[in-house]
């Protein structure tokens, strides 16, 4: 795939757009003013691989929490503002690394200007967050309701407002919960603008449904070279969002870090507890700091052959299994110590 070239901006120390790697973001679901709870969630998200964190700022107590939270975490902070421009200005001053606003919700031009002035002063970007559920009435009227044209025009108008104030340190999202609409909106926007794109399917739902929607929507776009940073939205622990986001990137070869487990679906040829082995392997390999493809296959008939491209793997037999490397059998091991033996080999690699 050829990645669309976009303008590079910086959210704190993390580049977004241009030739920068596609980053994975998440959003906290603690009360921001609960500093302990928020920091502890962000540290868990960092461990999972989160590279940029967003939290909502709803009042002055939340603004006051920005600096203490930032002093205890290691990834840049995007502050999410709904309506009150004063909170956006105060958040920029308090050390936010990016402000997410929908200029249309902020109010008149003077208020937007105040936000722009604060962001310019602090040299931080703004994310324009277009959402299919809150498009301008004039865009809806002009383009016949919620569709990709009204979403794209809404985004362009908001960008025009900021550009007219001499501000172009921007990224943009065009979120919808309808996967097809979301894909069309990002495709259409990407064809007319080179601002970096934050991809997301909004209100994607609980883990299972949200993972599918996000993987389909973002997968299509990323495969077309569209998207510079991603956030999976799930009604779940945000750590899940990061795992899914990284999984989407890995499945398209856009990330190589970490262990990539491939496993067979099992069938009548399986004579070992492959499901149990895979569950345990996922847990034990989750924090392994190696870039390897590990295959866990149910049988020796097809296993090593089908998983030839894996760096290392196991193939189950009856009460025992084979360990193989790059399709070549290394040794036979009893089932009870198959996983331990595999992990020993991986540690040596
Ligand atoms: S690798 Fe073997 S056990 Fe697994 S699905 Fe294929 S044939 Fe069945």
């Amino acid at each position: 795939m050829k990645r669309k070239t976009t303008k590079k901006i910086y959210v704190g120390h993390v580049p977004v757009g241009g030739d920068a790697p596609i980053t994975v973001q998440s959003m906290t679901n603690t009360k921001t003013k609960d500093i302990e709870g928020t920091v502890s969630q962000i540290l868990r998200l960092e461990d999972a691989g989160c590279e940029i964190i967003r939290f909502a700022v709803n009042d002055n107590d939340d603004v006051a929490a920005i600096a203490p939270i930032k002093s205890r975490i290691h990834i840049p902070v995007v502050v999410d503002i709904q309506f009150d421009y004063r909170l956006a200005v105060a958040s920029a001053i308090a050390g936010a690394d990016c402000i997410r606003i929908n200029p249309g919700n902020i109010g008149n031009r003077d208020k937007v200007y105040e936000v722009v002035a604060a962001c310019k002063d602090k040299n931080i970007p703004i994310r324009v967050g277009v959402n299919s559920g809150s498009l301008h009435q004039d865009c809806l009227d002009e383009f016949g309701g919620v569709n990709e044209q009204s979403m794209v025009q809404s985004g362009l108008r908001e960008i025009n407002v900021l550009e007219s104030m001499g501000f172009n340190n921007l990224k943009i999202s065009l979120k919808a919960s309808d996967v097809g609409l979301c894909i069309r909106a990002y495709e259409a926007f990407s064809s007319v603008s080179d601002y970096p794109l934050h991809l997301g399917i909004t209100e994607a739902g609980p883990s299972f449904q949200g993972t599918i929607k996000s993987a389909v929507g973002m997968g299509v776009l990323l495969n077309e070279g569209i998207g510079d940073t991603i956030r999976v939205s799930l009604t779940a622990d945000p750590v899940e969002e990061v795992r899914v986001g990284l999984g989407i990137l890995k499945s398209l070869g856009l990330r190589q870090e970490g262990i990539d487990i491939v496993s067979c679906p099992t069938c009548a040829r399986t004579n070992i507890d492959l499901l149990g082995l895979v569950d345990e392997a996922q847990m034990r390999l989750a924090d392994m700091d190696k870039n390897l493809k590990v295959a866990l296959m149910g049988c020796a008939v097809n296993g090593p052959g089908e998983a030839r491209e894996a760096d290392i793997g196991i193939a189950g037999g009856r009460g025992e299994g084979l360990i193989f490397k790059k399709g070549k059998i290394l040794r036979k091991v009893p089932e009870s110590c198959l996983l331990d033996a595999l992990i020993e080999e991986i540690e040596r690699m």
Side-chain angles (χ1 to χ4, degrees):
M1 83 196 61
K2 185 168 168 5
R3 184 153 163 220
K4 151 117 192 200
T5 308
T6 52
K7 175 183 156 74
K8 190 192 275 184
I9 63 165
Y10 283 84
V11 178
H13 61 278
V14 176
V16 174
D19 59 358
I22 298 165
T23 41
V24 173
Q25 315 200 5
S26 185
M27 186 167 182
T28 57
N29 59 11
T30 52
K31 297 290 177 205
T32 301
K33 55 182 76 59
D34 167 13
I35 295 170
E36 286 305 318
T38 303
V39 166
S40 122
Q41 189 172 75
I42 295 172
L43 293 177
R44 280 200 308 121
L45 288 161
E46 285 182 7
D47 276 349
C50 183
E51 290 155 321
I52 297 174
I53 188 67
R54 178 160 55 114
F55 53 70
V57 160
N58 296 317
D59 56 31
N60 287 325
D61 289 343
D62 288 345
V63 173
I66 295 173
I69 291 171
K70 276 203 64 178
S71 71
R72 291 168 58 187
I73 64 171
H74 314 89
I75 54 177
V77 164
V78 180
V79 164
D80 194 279
I81 303 290
Q82 280 294 355
F83 297 107
D84 189 341
Y85 80 100
R86 289 165 299 191
L87 293 176
V89 171
S91 297
I93 294 168
D97 298 298
C98 177
I99 304 286
R100 185 266 178 179
I101 55 167
N102 183 339
N105 286 347
I106 292 289
N108 67 35
R109 216 181 141 82
D110 291 349
K111 292 176 180 169
V112 177
Y113 186 79
E114 292 289 324
V115 179
V116 165
C119 291
K120 256 190 201 167
D121 191 47
K122 290 289 177 182
N123 193 25
I124 59 171
I126 289 177
R127 163 151 80 94
V128 174
V130 175
N131 194 306
S132 63
S134 57
L135 299 179
H136 291 199
Q137 192 55 47
D138 51 348
C139 277
L140 292 172
D141 294 342
E142 192 177 335
F143 296 97
V146 176
N147 52 44
E148 57 271 32
Q149 286 94 349
S150 51
M151 287 179 72
V152 169
Q153 284 308 317
S154 195
L156 291 174
R157 282 180 200 185
E158 286 167 3
I159 284 175
N160 284 344
V161 170
L162 300 176
E163 284 178 337
S164 73
M165 296 171 180
F167 193 82
N168 61 8
N169 190 6
L170 296 171
K171 57 182 174 144
I172 180 159
S173 57
L174 299 122
K175 296 193 182 183
S177 57
D178 178 310
V179 177
L181 171 60
C182 209
I183 291 172
R184 292 192 300 277
Y186 276 108
E187 285 173 341
F189 188 88
S190 171
S191 70
V192 296
S193 168
D194 62 1
Y195 281 117
L197 287 172
H198 164 122
L199 299 188
I201 309 292
T202 199
E203 296 132 24
S207 275
F208 179 71
Q209 179 190 315
T211 299
I212 294 170
K213 280 188 171 189
S214 301
V216 171
M218 294 190 211
V220 166
L221 290 164
L222 291 166
N223 197 50
E224 291 173 357
I226 297 171
D228 301 289
T229 180
I230 67 172
R231 189 251 170 144
V232 171
S233 302
L234 299 176
T235 315
D237 183 338
V239 165
E240 270 301 296
E241 300 185 346
V242 174
R243 290 200 184 117
V244 174
L246 286 167
I248 292 171
L249 295 182
K250 276 187 195 171
S251 67
L252 286 167
L254 294 164
R255 275 297 171 101
Q256 261 79 44
E257 295 117 81
I259 300 285
D260 184 14
I261 294 183
V262 294
S263 56
C264 82
T266 73
C267 72
R269 293 191 191 96
T270 318
N271 287 308
I272 56 164
D273 172 23
L274 192 73
L275 273 65
L277 267 172
V278 170
D279 277 349
E280 201 186 333
Q282 279 195 91
M283 277 187 297
R284 292 178 62 182
L285 296 173
D287 298 325
M288 184 83 71
D289 193 16
K290 289 181 190 280
N291 303 337
L292 294 174
K293 185 176 265 192
V294 177
L296 306 171
M297 309 299 279
C299 75
V301 181
N302 292 355
E306 281 185 12
R308 198 173 292 116
E309 82 287 4
D311 296 295
I312 189 161
I314 55 175
R318 197 178 292 277
E320 61 186 12
L322 301 172
I323 298 195
F324 60 89
K325 242 185 195 176
K326 303 273 185 198
K328 292 219 164 45
I329 294 165
L330 288 186
R331 59 194 163 106
K332 201 181 265 186
V333 182
E335 182 177 352
S336 57
C337 33
L338 197 50
L339 195 56
D340 287 339
L342 175 76
I343 288 172
E344 257 173 46
E345 288 290 341
I346 291 175
E347 277 165 352
R348 272 205 287 268
M349 286 171 87

